[in-house]
Amino acid sequence: MSRRGGANHPDPRRNQPSPAISQSSVNAAGSGRGGRGSRGGHTVPSPSSVPSPVPVTAASSTAAPVVAGSSSAPTRPSPALASATVSTEVLSSEVEKLTLESTPAAASAPSSQKAVRFPNRPGIGRLGRKIQVRANHFQLQVVDKDLHHYDVSFAPEITSKKVSRDVINQLVKMHQESMLGNRIPAYDGRKSLFTAGPLPFTSKVFVINLVDENKGSSSGSDKKKREREFKVTIKFASQTDLNHLTQFLRRLQLDCPYETIQALDIALRATPSEMYTVSGRSFFSPSLGAQGPLGGGTEYWRGYYQSLRPTQMGLSLNIDVSSRAFYEPIRVTDFISKNFKLNFSRPLSDQDRVKIKKALRGIRVRTSHGGNIRSYKVTGVSKEPLRDLMFKLDDQVTRKKISDYFYEKYEIVLQYPLLPALQAGSDTRPMFIPMELCQIESGQRYSKRLNEEQVTNLLRATCQRPQQRENDIKKIVTQHRFNADKVAKEFGINVREELALVDARVLPPPMLKYHGNGGDSKIEPRMGQWNMIRHKVVNGGTVQFWSCLSFSRLNPTQFCAELVNMCQAKGIIFNRDPLVPIAPANSNQIEKELEKLDKNCKAKLNSTNPKDRLQLLIVILPDSKGRFYDDIKRVCETRLGIVTQCVKPNQAAKLSKQYLENVALKINVKVGGRNTVLYDAIERRIPLLTDVPTIIFGADVTHPQPGEDSSPSIAAVVASMDWPQVTNYRGLISAQSHREEIIQDLYKTTEHPQRGIVHSGMIRELLLAFYRKNGSKPARIIFYRDGVSEGQFSQVLLYEMDAIRKACVSLESNYLPRVTFVVVQKRHHTRLFPTSNDQTDRSGNIMPGTVVDTTICHPREFDFYLNSHAGIQGTSRPSHYHVLFDENGFSADQLQSLTNNLCYTYARCTRSVSIVPPAYYAHLLAFRARYYLNEVDTSDSGSASGNRSTTNFVSTLPSIMENIKDVMFYC
């Protein structure tokens, strides 16, 4: 295979070493994210919680993420790389120390430690109409003080942050003047305590007695039980340098002083952490806004998000309104009634008991019988119903029924003796309590997956137009009075109460190519949307053999006829007659019905041309809730090799032209067609895309919901196949260890007895597919990586860049396409608000194409916020793009414009979307792959202590059929 685009020209990058990683190179990286729910969060990483570095070996001799502080000179690659079958061992031997990039900023800014360096900002963008917007960032000013960091430890160890805070509060209350030098410390609830000035000691042990107000009575015997003694050791750890932070914000120092920012962040969070319920980086309380029911024993609470981060305008406090689901403080029996349709007058089945156990495990409940208020954490439920459950009395010999015990001691007749009891304590020393006597404690976050009803209710209750959201944010800042906060004053922190005024630009939309009645036609989108009523798709797919299965009562004949008409009107070659007659199907036998249809289709095709196959199956789902969608996709895509288009019966019955058009767009890309392309791509006018063969990757990892301890994480990678148009994406999936963020199967090798080292992996397979489609290997790679938090930037970049390099070298020696690696973050809390009515779309949000790369962005690195879509309801959330590696030399305008233009090529609608399509497609594909896993688990495994010994086991993910891989089946 030959390389285009100057393969034979000297490349200075060949003289630079490959990525290497050491402990010091991740010291500034911080901690990783805990799952999809925290993705892209603006959290200041804790230096004490840096994850262990991932072993990384060099794949080739090209440049990679730069580590500062190394003195090694650049070296040429080893001759061993001249072979196309370079082994991992040989590649590993090529690891070299990295040198600091010779940029002007790097030359003038010293580095105090080794750390991964991301590219400097290549100037700010100029393209587009200049406007100003307001951002929910509040500028911070800090008086120069000596910040001291102390390590805190407890004996016995404390796992609860609330209890830890209670102990430290008691310590400060008792010893602030006498032993703490009258300092007001800021404590993070774990192991770090900060002070604005030194304490009178370097290490000291305090003995603190903590009284638990929620347990026992006032009698003498119980009073001893209510007091717990803790030994608290406070030991000096380090002194932080505010001057270092000042130099970093002025771009005179490369290393971000995370510990200094962490100290200030903790100081600002100290008071609200005492006042409100803390959830991640947000605070919630009934006093912060109205509450309301969500269904299923849950309710929403309002609150606010708060995070401190370095920006071009200095330190910025990011404040946003927030809402979360919490458990309703109701009786456990009422909670069960709301979630499960059970008859309490007869014993539960094992399956129902396991469901209840999973729903209640980890919840704190409270009892008040006998005049005592006691709190317990639920660890499980009993295997026997209450009427059969017995326990040993204090003599450890006599056994008594629980129902008899409650009647004799408290005169309580249990109403539901056939229900199991709640279990508190461990499996070895269990404590059983009747469910009907337990009430769920208030203020507990509901962390499980919300059902459709709960999601709808939450969105309805918390959806806010931009003006209302902005006013609420202002109200939070005004009410909190940061500048009057005693801890903030102690640390010399002053917060401006006005939203930041930010320079922004509105990028022009791209011209799109379609087919009209008279040939090619161009459409210019307006406000992020366009109409293709009188236009056809740019490349229509072919559907010669199709059929339809209806699992609902709806007769699909008319719907199918109208859908065929719409597909033909949009330029899809679509046979009017189904391969086999359209017939109703039994929704209780999904797999059998699909297999039966597949068998009938194959039998008919074998009689004419055995090479032909069913190209499309239209499926009418049983109801509007979309039941069995996951089973249909799993069976068709991993076993039968059938491309499906599912529709809900309520939508199919309407015969809406708009709905039919949207379905037609999905069908076209699923059968190999293309809906639209960028006109500038056809004309080869897009810089750093259309000049040489370029492949655009999108990658994402989805993680299981909290509580699913044995479910794997799923990685998905898609890549464009149709250069230079880049609208058609082939996708691959892979299961990996539970909550592992780094994609493990980008590149891998196995040893074959006869063939030796066999190279494989998702990057390699997609590069080969691109070569087969285009006749050349890509000379440029643009890699959009979704779902990485700032704390894992370094590790993800080093590991995944290494895999990309190895995959390229495994194809051909010295195959070194230039790579640009961009992280896409959606789950952040930066919001942009218009400053005048002429700057809004129809929803009152900022206009599509609004981009910000000043003021609230990183002081030195190449990042920007892009609002590429028009708002529909609520407040639009811009996507945050952060360039971690760039060999292609993108200017700000070039990358911002390319990213914005790509957002108009999303296949499923005639609107621009909020994140770049390759990242969007990777997310859809990873989400689809969850349907392939066996999700039904009725086992009673899992100890009361929450043992996660099975979390490293990776479930087998069924392979997608080859003919399915060839099309965008996930759309």
Side-chain angles (χ1 to χ4, degrees):
M1 296 190 292
S2 63
R3 174 179 173 178
R4 285 194 191 178
N8 298 321
H9 295 275
D11 189 341
R13 296 174 301 118
R14 298 176 192 275
N15 297 330
Q16 299 178 7
S18 296
I21 188 168
S22 64
Q23 178 64 54
S24 59
S25 68
V26 294
N27 280 345
S31 59
R33 71 174 181 150
R36 193 146 186 100
S38 59
R39 117 177 7 187
H42 291 169
T43 304
V44 178
S46 168
S48 63
S49 58
V50 175
S52 301
V54 177
V56 178
T57 56
S60 69
S61 60
T62 72
V66 179
V67 174
S70 173
S71 59
S72 297
T75 57
R76 288 188 176 275
S78 164
L81 291 181
S83 169
T85 57
V86 183
S87 69
T88 304
E89 290 77 11
V90 172
L91 289 168
S92 299
S93 70
E94 297 302 314
V95 174
E96 298 286 350
K97 290 182 179 178
L98 304 177
T99 55
L100 188 63
E101 288 178 313
S102 56
T103 61
S108 62
S111 172
S112 64
Q113 64 172 344
K114 292 183 179 180
V116 175
R117 300 283 165 239
F118 304 130
N120 287 328
R121 187 181 305 280
I124 61 173
R126 305 291 180 187
L127 186 65
R129 179 167 62 90
K130 293 182 179 179
I131 62 169
Q132 284 191 319
V133 296
R134 284 188 294 270
N136 57 336
H137 286 244
F138 299 84
Q139 190 174 19
L140 219 72
Q141 292 179 330
V142 185
V143 177
D144 192 5
K145 291 199 175 187
D146 293 330
L147 303 184
H148 287 64
H149 179 198
Y150 294 85
D151 286 332
V152 179
S153 59
F154 301 93
E157 187 175 348
I158 303 174
T159 57
S160 165
K161 290 180 72 173
K162 183 182 184 306
V163 175
S164 298
R165 290 187 189 280
D166 290 342
V167 172
I168 294 298
N169 286 343
Q170 182 71 8
L171 187 154
V172 173
K173 185 177 179 181
M174 293 171 60
H175 303 296
Q176 180 179 353
E177 294 183 4
S178 58
M179 297 185 185
L180 300 182
N182 214 24
R183 303 281 183 201
I184 302 177
Y187 175 55
D188 72 345
R190 290 193 179 95
K191 295 184 178 181
S192 291
L193 182 143
F194 294 91
T195 57
L199 294 175
F201 54 82
T202 56
S203 181
K204 195 170 187 65
V205 179
F206 298 84
V207 177
I208 302 297
N209 290 316
L210 187 67
V211 178
D212 192 335
E213 303 291 344
N214 292 325
K215 291 187 179 181
S217 66
S218 58
S219 65
S221 60
D222 282 334
K223 193 165 186 178
K224 292 180 182 178
K225 297 179 184 178
R226 294 193 295 130
E227 289 189 2
R228 289 179 288 172
E229 183 179 284
F230 296 96
K231 288 185 178 180
V232 185
T233 303
I234 299 178
K235 185 177 181 181
F236 175 76
S238 63
Q239 183 175 347
T240 63
D241 185 4
L242 272 174
N243 182 60
H244 185 172
L245 175 60
T246 303
Q247 297 299 304
F248 171 77
L249 294 172
R250 292 176 178 173
R251 300 188 66 207
L252 299 175
Q253 176 67 253
L254 285 175
D255 297 321
C256 179
Y258 287 112
E259 189 177 25
T260 306
I261 298 176
Q262 181 195 24
L264 299 173
D265 187 58
I266 290 170
L268 284 168
R269 297 176 63 81
T271 299
S273 294
E274 301 296 333
M275 297 170 60
Y276 308 126
T277 298
V278 182
S279 177
R281 302 200 63 79
S282 296
F283 304 102
F284 298 95
S285 170
S287 66
L288 292 174
Q291 299 165 267
L294 294 177
T298 62
E299 61 184 6
Y300 67 85
W301 283 23
R302 296 189 187 274
Y304 69 95
Y305 169 93
Q306 173 183 318
S307 178
L308 187 63
R309 51 189 302 100
T311 65
Q312 292 176 32
M313 70 176 181
L315 281 179
S316 165
L317 187 63
N318 182 203
I319 301 284
D320 190 23
V321 294
S322 188
S323 298
R324 288 284 188 277
F326 285 78
Y327 287 95
E328 277 188 295
I330 56 178
R331 290 210 174 267
V332 170
T333 46
D334 294 334
F335 178 83
I336 293 173
S337 296
K338 289 186 176 186
N339 281 276
F340 309 103
K341 296 179 179 178
L342 300 176
N343 185 348
F344 290 174
S345 63
R346 56 188 184 190
L348 302 182
S349 66
D350 284 343
Q351 187 174 4
D352 287 335
R353 188 181 59 80
V354 169
K355 286 180 181 178
I356 291 175
K357 175 183 175 181
K358 288 185 175 181
L360 296 175
R361 189 164 53 189
I363 296 177
R364 295 202 69 86
V365 296
R366 180 171 294 197
T367 62
S368 58
H369 55 270
N372 296 330
I373 298 176
R374 295 183 179 273
S375 178
Y376 304 93
K377 184 175 182 179
V378 177
T379 55
V381 297
S382 64
K383 294 185 178 180
E384 304 91 351
L386 271 171
R387 68 177 182 186
D388 301 329
L389 196 59
M390 303 184 75
F391 70 102
K392 289 182 180 179
L393 297 179
D394 292 341
D395 61 11
Q396 295 299 311
V397 177
T398 310
R399 295 174 62 84
K400 181 181 282 290
K401 283 188 176 183
I402 284 186
S403 54
D404 293 342
Y405 169 80
F406 275 91
Y407 179 73
E408 292 172 7
K409 184 164 184 177
Y410 302 110
E411 296 184 356
I412 295 175
V413 178
L414 299 178
Q415 298 179 44
Y416 306 115
L418 298 180
L419 283 179
L422 291 183
Q423 177 184 332
S426 65
D427 287 338
T428 54
R429 298 187 64 183
M431 181 184 300
F432 295 105
I433 318 137
M435 291 184 183
E436 62 196 77
L437 302 182
C438 298
Q439 177 152 329
I440 296 173
E441 285 192 356
S442 179
Q444 297 182 79
R445 182 182 172 187
Y446 185 80
S447 59
K448 297 180 174 62
R449 188 194 303 271
L450 296 176
N451 60 36
E452 190 173 335
E453 177 197 4
Q454 291 168 329
V455 170
T456 301
N457 291 337
L458 182 62
L459 291 175
R460 185 182 295 122
T462 60
C463 183
Q464 291 180 303
R465 290 295 190 192
Q467 187 174 359
Q468 180 63 49
R469 192 184 194 104
E470 184 179 2
N471 290 337
D472 283 356
I473 291 170
K474 290 178 182 177
K475 186 177 177 182
I476 288 168
V477 175
T478 302
Q479 287 183 343
H480 191 75
R481 299 179 64 207
F482 288 100
N483 297 331
D485 183 282
K486 64 177 182 179
V487 184
K489 290 174 73 174
E490 170 85 1
F491 281 73
I493 299 172
N494 184 274
V495 182
R496 293 188 61 183
E497 295 190 354
E498 299 84 24
L499 279 78
L501 191 63
V502 182
D503 290 331
R505 291 166 289 115
V506 180
L507 301 178
M511 199 71 74
L512 303 176
K513 180 180 179 181
Y514 281 95
H515 281 311
N517 295 328
D520 288 352
S521 61
K522 292 188 287 185
I523 294 180
E524 183 178 4
R526 296 189 180 279
M527 284 296 176
Q529 54 189 322
W530 61 98
N531 195 318
M532 60 170 293
I533 287 293
R534 292 183 296 276
H535 300 273
K536 297 182 179 181
V537 296
V538 71
N539 295 112
T542 300
V543 182
Q544 183 64 32
F545 307 112
W546 66 278
S547 189
C548 174
L549 272 182
S550 177
F551 292 104
S552 77
R553 296 178 180 178
L554 175 74
N555 185 340
T557 304
Q558 186 179 3
F559 171 77
C560 287
E562 293 292 337
L563 181 59
V564 170
N565 288 338
M566 178 60 75
C567 288
Q568 291 176 338
K570 292 298 145 191
I572 304 171
I573 302 169
F574 211 115
N575 185 357
R576 300 199 67 84
D577 301 317
L579 179 63
V580 295
I582 298 172
N586 186 352
S587 61
N588 294 321
Q589 296 182 330
I590 296 285
E591 292 194 28
K592 286 185 178 180
E593 292 285 5
L594 291 169
E595 290 168 353
K596 177 183 174 183
L597 176 99
D598 182 53
K599 184 178 179 181
N600 292 340
C601 290
K602 285 179 178 177
K604 186 161 186 179
L605 289 171
N606 284 339
S607 63
T608 54
N609 187 352
K611 293 184 179 180
D612 289 333
R613 66 188 309 154
L614 188 69
Q615 295 165 301
L616 176 69
L617 175 62
I618 300 167
V619 179
I620 312 295
L621 297 171
D623 52 43
S624 60
K625 294 182 179 179
R627 285 189 305 133
F628 306 120
Y629 177 88
D630 49 352
D631 293 326
I632 292 165
K633 294 296 183 181
R634 175 177 52 82
V635 172
C636 289
E637 292 165 4
T638 66
R639 282 175 44 194
L640 303 180
I642 298 175
V643 174
T644 56
Q645 178 58 55
C646 295
V647 295
K648 293 180 179 179
N650 57 326
Q651 294 288 350
K654 295 177 183 177
L655 299 177
S656 161
K657 294 290 185 185
Q658 184 64 56
Y659 179 73
L660 291 170
E661 182 181 282
N662 287 345
V663 174
L665 293 179
K666 293 181 181 181
I667 287 175
N668 188 44
V669 295
K670 288 180 179 180
V671 296
R674 293 185 302 182
N675 294 336
T676 186
V677 296
L678 298 172
Y679 195 80
D680 282 349
I682 298 290
E683 298 294 316
R684 302 287 184 94
R685 291 196 301 238
I686 302 180
L688 298 178
L689 176 68
T690 56
D691 53 338
V692 297
T694 299
I695 187 170
I696 300 182
F697 284 94
D700 190 20
V701 178
T702 64
H703 302 292
Q705 291 291 313
E708 295 181 26
D709 292 350
S710 60
S711 297
S713 293
I714 295 178
V717 180
V718 303
S720 60
M721 294 288 114
D722 57 337
W723 181 80
Q725 292 86 0
V726 292
T727 58
N728 185 270
Y729 289 81
R730 181 183 177 92
L732 300 172
I733 54 172
S734 174
Q736 56 190 45
S737 298
H738 179 80
R739 297 208 169 276
E740 172 60 63
E741 181 56 53
I742 296 171
I743 302 177
Q744 302 296 304
D745 287 345
L746 290 180
Y747 171 79
K748 56 185 179 180
T749 57
T750 53
E751 191 162 352
H752 191 273
Q754 284 80 38
R755 296 159 58 194
I757 298 295
V758 178
H759 303 272
S760 60
M762 293 190 280
I763 295 291
R764 192 176 195 274
E765 184 175 334
L766 291 168
L767 289 172
L768 286 170
F770 182 97
Y771 176 77
R772 288 191 293 267
K773 186 79 176 286
N774 297 278
S776 64
K777 301 190 305 298
R780 179 186 297 115
I781 293 174
I782 302 172
F783 197 93
Y784 285 102
R785 177 64 158 89
D786 194 8
V788 183
S789 67
E790 292 170 357
Q792 283 197 305
F793 277 5
S794 300
Q795 285 186 296
V796 168
L797 174 65
L798 286 166
Y799 189 99
E800 295 183 5
M801 269 302 304
D802 186 60
I804 292 170
R805 290 298 187 219
K806 288 178 179 177
C808 293
V809 168
S810 75
L811 293 174
E812 186 178 17
S813 61
N814 294 324
Y815 170 46
L816 302 171
R818 295 176 182 271
V819 181
T820 296
F821 194 108
V822 186
V823 166
V824 187
Q825 292 178 310
K826 188 66 177 171
R827 297 196 176 184
H828 58 80
H829 283 268
T830 292
R831 300 293 184 271
L832 304 176
F833 302 100
T835 56
S836 62
N837 292 333
D838 61 348
Q839 297 177 4
T840 67
D841 61 16
R842 199 177 301 172
S843 69
N845 279 286
I846 56 173
M847 290 183 286
T850 301
V851 63
V852 169
D853 60 2
T854 62
T855 312
I856 59 172
C857 293
H858 194 278
R860 180 185 64 85
E861 294 167 10
F862 187 5
D863 71 327
F864 58 91
Y865 291 94
L866 173 63
N867 187 82
S868 51
H869 65 298
I872 299 177
Q873 61 180 358
T875 304
S876 296
R877 180 181 355 208
S879 290
H880 186 219
Y881 297 87
H882 203 127
V883 181
L884 303 190
F885 188 53
D886 182 27
E887 290 179 313
N888 290 297
F890 275 97
S891 69
D893 279 332
Q894 287 171 339
L895 187 59
Q896 290 165 12
S897 181
L898 172 62
T899 303
N900 184 59
N901 291 353
L902 287 174
C903 290
Y904 286 78
T905 64
Y906 185 63
R908 301 209 299 182
C909 59
T910 54
R911 300 175 64 94
S912 59
V913 288
S914 60
I915 63 171
V916 69
Y920 205 147
Y921 293 144
H923 173 69
L924 290 177
L925 180 55
F927 193 79
R928 171 67 60 83
R930 286 237 163 255
Y931 297 150
Y932 304 158
L933 295 172
N934 293 325
E935 295 187 352
V936 179
D937 178 15
T938 58
S939 66
D940 199 14
S941 61
S943 69
S945 59
N947 188 349
R948 293 197 175 198
S949 61
T950 61
T951 58
N952 290 326
F953 173 76
V954 179
S955 301
T956 302
L957 198 61
S959 298
I960 301 170
M961 301 292 285
E962 285 301 318
N963 67 303
I964 302 293
K965 284 183 187 178
D966 289 335
V967 296
M968 295 170 68
F969 66 94
Y970 45 82
C971 280

